[in-house]
Amino acid sequence: WNFIILQLVVTSVSGSAGIWLFYVQHQFEDTYWRSGEDWDYTDSAMQGSSFYRLPAVLNWFSGNIGYHHIHHLSSRIPNYNLKACHESEPFFQKVPVLTLRTSLRSLSLRLWDEEAGKLVDASCIAACCSPDQCCTGEVPFRTYPKCQTPNGSSINCSCSRRAPPNESGGYHCWFSQPS
């Protein structure tokens, strides 16, 4: 039994670390999200994935996956050459940099702000879409000061009871920055 418990612990910890590494390198405030003709391969690799500056021991354990932007440019570069590639060209160093501390912020980023072109903290979604705080008129606009964009302005929230509930039974919400 000890062997099975040890295997479960090791698998759980390493699996969680792998999921975190993948998630955090694509979910950060200034990430690149485009579609259709606006999408660009190089911009997507360089701005849509980050350089995750990890301690040397974590770089070793993760196969240098912190150099994720290089991996997205060419997945054929072996992990032991990722660091050298990153350091060889100044262009490769012009990417969003995350550290263990700054990466924790990505846990709260859930809402893509089309106008600002970045992920924002979406803690206001629950407040906006709860029936006791919204939808008292036809299609009201409410400003929630706790919902801030990166430049410090509030996010307007609008939702409607007249629209059919979404899949989870909640209300349809729209977010915009005040003009």
Side-chain angles (χ1 to χ4, degrees):
W1 286 109
N2 288 340
F3 177 76
I4 292 173
I5 291 171
L6 178 65
Q7 290 299 314
L8 287 173
V9 168
V10 168
T11 302
S12 297
V13 169
S14 59
S16 297
I19 290 168
W20 172 255
L21 287 170
F22 177 80
Y23 173 82
V24 75
Q25 292 190 87
H26 298 96
Q27 298 289 112
F28 51 92
E29 188 172 41
D30 294 315
T31 192
Y32 176 91
W33 283 9
R34 305 289 187 280
S35 62
E37 292 181 15
D38 293 335
W39 185 83
D40 179 76
Y41 178 82
T42 304
D43 287 343
S44 180
M46 295 296 289
Q47 301 303 315
S49 55
S50 66
F51 169 46
Y52 200 14
R53 185 174 288 136
L54 296 170
V57 68
L58 292 180
N59 273 332
W60 186 84
F61 274 110
S62 68
N64 283 326
I65 200 59
Y67 299 94
H68 208 62
H69 57 295
I70 303 293
H71 165 75
H72 274 270
L73 283 172
S74 177
S75 60
R76 302 183 97 188
I77 298 173
N79 67 334
Y80 51 84
N81 285 336
L82 290 172
K83 181 179 180 183
C85 184
H86 172 78
E87 293 173 350
S88 71
E89 177 62 44
F91 173 74
F92 296 143
Q93 297 165 26
K94 296 178 182 175
V95 295
V97 178
L98 298 176
T99 63
L100 287 172
R101 178 176 286 168
T102 61
S103 67
L104 295 176
R105 171 141 167 70
S106 70
L107 291 171
S108 67
L109 302 175
R110 296 279 184 271
L111 179 66
W112 178 253
D113 185 331
E114 288 285 339
E115 292 175 14
K118 56 179 60 188
L119 286 170
V120 294
D121 186 335
S123 61
C124 56
I125 290 175
C128 174
C129 291
S130 64
D132 60 330
Q133 292 189 23
C134 189
C135 306
T136 54
E138 268 206 28
V139 182
F141 271 101
R142 295 189 184 253
T143 300
Y144 292 89
K146 71 176 186 171
C147 302
Q148 299 287 315
T149 62
N151 68 5
S153 63
S154 298
I155 296 175
N156 282 333
C157 164
S158 174
C159 58
S160 172
R161 281 188 175 163
R162 295 182 151 210
N166 59 29
E167 301 80 38
S168 62
Y171 297 93
H172 292 271
C173 297
W174 297 269
F175 298 89
S176 65
Q177 292 182 15
S179 35

